[in-house]
Amino acid sequence: MHHVLGSRALNRATLARQLLLERAGLPVLDAVAHLGGLQAQEPQEPFTGLWSRLRAFDPATLDTLLTGRRVVRTHLMRRTVHLLTADDVLAWRSRFDPMLRQRVVGTYRRELQDVDFAELAAAGRAVLADGEPRSMGELARAVADRWPAAGPRPLGELLIAALIPSVQLPPRGLWRTKAGVRNLPLSAWLGRDADPPAPDDGVGRTLVRRYLAAFGPAATADLRAWSGLTGLPAAVKAVREELVAFRDERGRELLDLPEAPRPDPDTPAPARFLPAFDNAILGYDDRSRIIDDAHRGLSVAGERVVLLDGRVSATWTAAEGTVVVHPLRRLTGAERDELEAEGTELATFLSDGESACVRVETS
């Protein structure tokens, strides 16, 4: 019989793994690696995600990692843009290639039915060989004459998100900077190609371990929801003897690393402001450990959320130097005080010290 982990126990384990139970003293690069990357289709959101997780986080440090090519913005998990360490992208990218292609083709099957992918990739690489960064549209238009029926959007997405491992270059994604997407091949930006696929799926086994370190205890369905990969059962089987197993209250089997933190369910959890699309929520198939089913849609709608006692209890916005909190339920006086204190710190961070204004709306 497996030990049953209740939703509160899973919640506290999730917060601990996600560095949300207590701010960590990790270097920024190590935090990005530990988290398996941060969701980053909204360029400024990773800064809030790291501020909520790290002590004394300085946005300039992340800027330096981006311009210094140690952290990159690229399509990977679930074909969404993530902020990842350069080492992880180089090691993992080939393992994601089939999924990335399948997801683009699944969206544009009719438009791409007559396109030879090898020829398209060669044509795209030839355009990019001059070392000039290009937007997706510019690259697509440069090759569109050869496949006029496909249209530039499908060709561009297939090239940038799947066929040519690419990086979104700074100044895109730098602190308080607005910039369009300009792409270069991963090999041109980092100086070498991604590692070839490992015949024994060593990358798959690494992904299992790294996922559990940042998200466990979790079911294989959760691992699939985070990565977008369907072909990891063999990797799970290969490392299973290294793992411990539990059950959740629904009876699902949950796997975990033996020495990973699983705090007491009664461990206090502080208020935390999360950015849009934070992986602490999106990294699971069953998100009930952190968000009620009634509010699940917030996690895919781009709403920024607030955790109280470890659970999504409010949304928040920021404009004109003020952080505005919109509760999803009635708050206690102590909870409002906690939100105001944390919100004041967030407003100060987001404004580079120019404002400390926070307003908590009535529920």
Side-chain angles (χ1 to χ4, degrees), residues 274-330:
L274 298 187
F277 306 113
D278 195 278
N279 271 345
I281 301 173
L282 292 186
Y284 300 94
D285 175 59
D286 181 359
R287 299 170 187 168
S288 63
R289 67 178 67 195
I290 197 168
I291 187 170
D292 294 342
D293 287 343
H295 304 312
R296 182 183 172 102
L298 298 174
S299 62
V300 294
E303 295 279 358
R304 298 159 167 166
V305 300
V306 186
L307 303 182
L308 284 172
D309 193 27
R311 301 194 62 79
V312 173
S313 301
T315 62
W316 67 276
T317 56
E320 299 180 352
T322 300
V323 169
V324 183
V325 180
H326 308 273
L328 297 171
R329 59 172 175 78
R330 187 179 299 276

Side-chain angles (χ1 to χ4, degrees), residues 157-219:
E157 287 200 26
L158 185 60
L159 283 167
I160 293 298
L163 296 182
I164 302 175
S166 302
V167 174
Q168 296 185 358
L169 301 191
R172 180 77 169 178
L174 298 183
W175 176 237
R176 302 185 75 184
T177 299
K178 292 183 178 181
V181 178
R182 310 288 288 177
N183 303 282
L184 268 186
L186 189 70
S187 56
W189 185 244
L190 296 182
R192 70 176 179 88
D193 288 319
D195 296 342
D200 60 352
D201 198 20
V203 174
R205 297 197 297 273
T206 296
L207 288 170
V208 173
R209 297 186 188 101
R210 293 280 296 275
Y211 174 76
L212 292 176
F215 294 88

Side-chain angles (χ1 to χ4, degrees), residues 2-348:
H2 294 316
H3 178 67
V4 174
L5 295 176
S7 61
R8 193 173 175 89
L10 290 175
N11 175 270
R12 293 312 193 251
T14 296
L15 298 181
R17 311 296 173 86
Q18 286 288 304
L19 313 181
L20 293 168
L21 197 58
E22 181 180 357
R23 282 186 167 93
L26 290 174
V28 174
L29 184 67
D30 292 351
V32 174
H34 167 75
L35 295 166
L38 290 90
Q39 192 94 5
Q41 62 262 51
E42 297 293 335
Q44 294 297 298
E45 300 304 297
F47 291 94
T48 302
L50 289 168
W51 175 84
S52 288
R53 290 169 162 94
L54 300 179
R55 294 195 291 271
F57 170 64
D58 182 354
T61 303
L62 181 55
D63 282 358
T64 298
L65 291 171
L66 282 161
T67 57
R69 311 187 188 199
R70 301 185 70 192
V71 166
V72 298
R73 294 171 47 84
T74 188
H75 291 86
L76 202 66
M77 288 71 122
R78 307 182 299 278
R79 195 170 72 90
T80 55
V81 177
H82 275 70
L83 190 77
L84 297 117
T85 70
D87 287 345
D88 282 345
V89 172
L90 290 168
W92 296 355
R93 170 57 203 242
S94 294
R95 185 63 177 81
F96 285 82
D97 279 349
M99 179 273 292
L100 294 171
R101 295 188 189 195
Q102 289 166 6
R103 292 208 168 194
V104 177
V105 172
T107 302
Y108 300 110
R109 189 174 304 278
R110 180 178 57 81
E111 293 89 339
L112 296 171
Q113 62 183 350
D114 296 324
V115 175
D116 184 296
F117 291 180
E119 290 183 12
L120 176 61
R125 289 183 184 279
V127 173
L128 293 167
D130 62 3
E132 183 69 24
R134 287 175 171 82
S135 69
M136 181 185 296
E138 289 169 341
L139 179 58
R141 288 190 292 273
V143 301
D145 287 349
R146 294 177 59 178
W147 296 278
R153 181 73 188 191
L155 293 174
E157 287 200 26
L158 185 60
L159 283 167
I160 293 298
L163 296 182
I164 302 175
S166 302
V167 174
Q168 296 185 358
L169 301 191
R172 180 77 169 178
L174 298 183
W175 176 237
R176 302 185 75 184
T177 299
K178 292 183 178 181
V181 178
R182 310 288 288 177
N183 303 282
L184 268 186
L186 189 70
S187 56
W189 185 244
L190 296 182
R192 70 176 179 88
D193 288 319
D195 296 342
D200 60 352
D201 198 20
V203 174
R205 297 197 297 273
T206 296
L207 288 170
V208 173
R209 297 186 188 101
R210 293 280 296 275
Y211 174 76
L212 292 176
F215 294 88
T220 55
D222 297 318
L223 171 62
R224 184 168 60 248
W226 166 73
S227 66
L229 300 173
T230 59
L232 289 176
V236 172
K237 183 178 180 180
V239 302
R240 192 177 182 90
E241 290 188 1
E242 305 173 15
L243 309 177
V244 291
F246 303 93
R247 296 280 179 189
D248 66 12
E249 292 173 330
R250 294 169 47 194
R252 297 190 314 160
E253 182 181 60
L254 307 176
L255 300 175
D256 203 6
L257 303 173
E259 304 304 321
R262 290 180 288 276
D264 186 292
D266 292 327
T267 303
R272 289 288 185 259
F273 285 74
L274 298 187
F277 306 113
D278 195 278
N279 271 345
I281 301 173
L282 292 186
Y284 300 94
D285 175 59
D286 181 359
R287 299 170 187 168
S288 63
R289 67 178 67 195
I290 197 168
I291 187 170
D292 294 342
D293 287 343
H295 304 312
R296 182 183 172 102
L298 298 174
S299 62
V300 294
E303 295 279 358
R304 298 159 167 166
V305 300
V306 186
L307 303 182
L308 284 172
D309 193 27
R311 301 194 62 79
V312 173
S313 301
T315 62
W316 67 276
T317 56
E320 299 180 352
T322 300
V323 169
V324 183
V325 180
H326 308 273
L328 297 171
R329 59 172 175 78
R330 187 179 299 276
L331 304 179
T332 67
E335 288 175 329
R336 293 183 71 88
D337 291 344
E338 188 179 11
L339 280 177
E340 288 175 357
E342 185 75 357
T344 297
E345 295 296 325
L346 177 60
T348 302

